[in-house]
Amino acid sequence: AKKTTATEKKLGAWMLWFERRYKQYVDWVAHGEPAVMWLSGLHIPETYTAALVQAACRDKGWPLDKSTLYTKVTRYTDPSEIPEKLKHGAYIQGLYLEGASWDLERSMLKRQDPKVLVTELPILQVIPIEGSKLKLQNTFKTPVYVTQARRNAMGVGLVFEADLATSEHSSHWVLQGVALSLNIDQ
């Protein structure tokens, strides 16, 4: 059986990642769920996002099969800036954007800067919502993968899809290969 999450890190970077993961688990046990979740540190991150939807459905009486996740990129870049934990949903840090950059002033995707292949996304707000109430415009459904290798033929590796604001047509970002990753090689 597999004992750790998928990663492509070298040993030194993996040790730092492992220590950070261990610290997140210890803090979670000692102080409760963190206000900002580092999704990369979870063994199976898909279950955390599924649990967010399930908890909101239970509290609000929504049908589970008609509920989904909505995401919004915040202007926060540091977890200490977050005022408080969300009642329904979560703040997520540690997502890396490939194929594009993020314009912090305009809060939307922008064309990739020259020679910059990967940039860190500001903290992402993940909000459970009833599917019928979700009306998105000017957004690109961006796949979030565990590693930069993205996924294999069986579909393993896709965590969820994030809604990123854009002024360009979504086909532009598809052709650029835009995606988010939880783990990068470094």
Side-chain angles (χ1 to χ4, degrees), residues 9 20 38 40 93-100 117-121 142-146 148 179-186:
K9 296 181 182 301
R20 183 175 176 193
W38 179 53
S40 310
Q93 68 173 330
L95 295 174
Y96 297 92
L97 184 60
E98 295 181 74
L117 300 178
V118 178
T119 58
E120 189 167 0
L121 194 70
T142 311
V144 179
Y145 298 107
V146 175
Q148 286 180 292
L180 290 164
S181 299
L182 299 180
N183 290 298
I184 57 174
D185 302 343
Q186 304 161 353

Side-chain angles (χ1 to χ4, degrees), residues 111-133:
R111 293 177 187 257
Q112 205 168 15
D113 296 326
K115 300 182 183 180
V116 180
L117 300 178
V118 178
T119 58
E120 189 167 0
L121 194 70
I123 293 173
L124 186 72
Q125 186 177 14
V126 178
I127 308 152
I129 189 169
E130 284 185 286
S132 63
K133 294 186 177 157

Side-chain angles (χ1 to χ4, degrees), residues 33 47-68 87-89 128-130:
E33 186 177 351
T47 58
Y48 181 76
T49 57
L52 292 174
V53 174
Q54 290 171 357
C57 288
R58 193 176 319 112
D59 286 352
K60 296 185 176 195
W62 297 340
L64 182 60
D65 62 335
K66 295 189 178 5
S67 299
T68 188
K87 180 173 168 56
H88 296 290
I129 189 169
E130 284 185 286

Side-chain angles (χ1 to χ4, degrees), residues 36-177:
V36 180
M37 179 60 70
W38 179 53
L39 212 53
S40 310
L42 300 178
H43 188 71
I44 306 172
E46 302 91 320
T47 58
Y48 181 76
T49 57
L52 292 174
V53 174
Q54 290 171 357
C57 288
R58 193 176 319 112
D59 286 352
K60 296 185 176 195
W62 297 340
L64 182 60
D65 62 335
K66 295 189 178 5
S67 299
T68 188
L69 289 174
Y70 164 70
T71 63
K72 179 182 174 191
V73 180
T74 68
R75 293 184 183 269
Y76 304 121
T77 55
D78 188 327
S80 64
E81 298 172 18
I82 301 295
E84 63 182 16
K85 183 183 170 317
L86 295 173
K87 180 173 168 56
H88 296 290
Y91 289 106
I92 294 177
Q93 68 173 330
L95 295 174
Y96 297 92
L97 184 60
E98 295 181 74
S101 291
W102 187 255
D103 186 337
L104 200 54
E105 286 79 39
R106 295 176 55 213
S107 292
M108 65 175 45
L109 286 171
K110 68 176 186 175
R111 293 177 187 257
Q112 205 168 15
D113 296 326
K115 300 182 183 180
V116 180
L117 300 178
V118 178
T119 58
E120 189 167 0
L121 194 70
I123 293 173
L124 186 72
Q125 186 177 14
V126 178
I127 308 152
I129 189 169
E130 284 185 286
S132 63
K133 294 186 177 157
L134 184 62
K135 307 287 186 238
L136 296 175
Q137 291 184 352
N138 300 323
T139 58
F140 175 59
K141 279 261 187 225
T142 311
V144 179
Y145 298 107
V146 175
T147 66
Q148 286 180 292
R150 302 200 176 188
R151 64 178 171 173
N152 63 23
M154 302 280 290
V156 177
L158 180 66
V159 180
F160 68 99
E161 290 182 327
D163 307 303
L164 300 184
T166 179
S167 59
E168 304 262 355
H169 191 270
S170 61
S171 63
H172 171 77
W173 303 116
V174 170
L175 292 171
Q176 293 295 314

